[in-house]
Amino acid sequence: MSQNIDKIQDHVELFHQPEYQELFENKKAVEGMASPEEVEKIAEWTKSWDYREKNFAREALTINPAKACQPLGAILAAVGFEGTLPFVHGSQGCVAYFRTHFTRHFKEPFSGVSSSMTEDAAVFGGLKNMIEGLENAYSLYKPKMIAVCTTCMAEVIGDDLGAFIGAAKKDGSVPETFPVPFAHTPSFVGSHIVGYDNMLKAILLNLTEGKKKETTNGKINFIPGFETYIGNLRELKHLTAAMGVDATILADNELYLDSPNDGEFKMYQGGTTLEEGADSINAEATITLQTYPTVKTREYIEEKWGQKTFTYRPWGVKGTDEFLMGLSELTGNPIPAELELERGRAVDAMTDSHAWLHGKTAAIYGDPDLVMGMLQFMLEMGVEPVHVLVNNSNAEFEAEAKALLASSPYGSKATVWGGKDLWHMRSLLFTEPVDFLIGNSYGKYLWRDTGIPLIRIGYPIFDRHHLHRYSTIGYNGAINLLNWIVNALFEDIDRKTNIPSKTDISFDLVR
């Protein structure tokens, strides 16, 4: 099975070689694999209504949940602040998973360290690991702040982060005044959006302690939320600058996750400065662009800072209109002609493609705020959502989604499936097919099984490059969404009409 050094083959080609095919056949024999006929029979049954009923009745098993665990969101919030090193109190394997998950999506290095807990720490506690880990992280990587979160192991045994960090400072691992915010982020409850919320709140609590002033600083804080489209951070900066808003973006990881290749590696790129984070307590107001990853943070800002908070989702034309009008009302600044032009371009593009999308049916899955934003946009285009699946759902989201769907005649076919997974979605797509599916890279298995076109919008996107660099918010984001959806449908039409004299009736050059 050795390879020719002059012709190294990609695994896609490599595993088709005779020696690998023979290995696979031997493996089937050793494992007692069922016959191809039996496999085909069962596969066909899994497409039926009978199987769907059994599938939806399961309680003790989750298959491809379309969510991640809390620490993943916590470290994304952490790297949005300058010079901040995420520190995961748990085993090395956990933090390695988090780093690779982000690296595969953003195609950028993602730094994070762990306390390297093993069996002895699981029995006796991880205090020693914390003391040594903070000392090593501080001396080796020279951060300006270390943000600590936890994994399952640390939470199950009940490690007290506050006490541990206090002991580490007393032991001299880091200076007493060095900022070490911490958040308990057990992986067995909640999801990545809860972890983001917990960590952001912890960082703001740490940085703003004792920083409240008599007067405001005249700024407005913006919290993007669990944002994995770097283009959205740039679009937010573009919109606020055009509106003349003096903005502080809290957890601004734009440059960290999309840094230039200039020949020099920098572990910490960009981010909200610690001074800006500390002064955010004195802002006029805080605006979040996502509801569900900011629940505790908004509550903390309102109750402890005495600051007003607002939430807008600037997806599609209506959502962006509401966001800009809200900014105008808050600041007194008019909406500039520049943004009116962008709005006109978006409306023009939507008009151009409307006939191809109006009346199409769709399924969607993802995080609550992404799904809400996409529903807003699809309803504007006359797309009819049928299956709306959110695993990390709650009662508030489901009520909000149902209200939005009920507000449009195009939402009448939709069912909101909270707490379900992608194996449930498979049953839905086979028993009630739709014209296209919106979701992350994991949906490619649904596309392969059902043949329903997948439009990759969400997180993570591992199998396509550069989509995270685009925006999905604002008028420019609306054009991007439109582009992805309508051209994916054109590609599907071409695939289905590409056999000369048989299926090429509509293999048109002009669409």
Side-chain angles (χ1 to χ4, degrees), residues 63 75 99 109 153 164-165 254-255 263 292 324 348 377 447 458 460 479:
I63 306 173
I75 67 173
R99 288 198 307 256
M153 183 188 294
F164 282 16
I165 292 168
E254 176 210 339
L255 191 57
Y292 300 99
L324 295 179
D348 182 57
F377 178 74
W447 163 77
I479 295 176

Side-chain angles (χ1 to χ4, degrees), residues 61 75 89 93-94 121 123 356 372 387 464:
L61 176 67
I75 67 173
H89 185 45
C94 292
V123 175
W356 292 96
M372 286 298 300
H387 310 302
R464 296 293 185 271

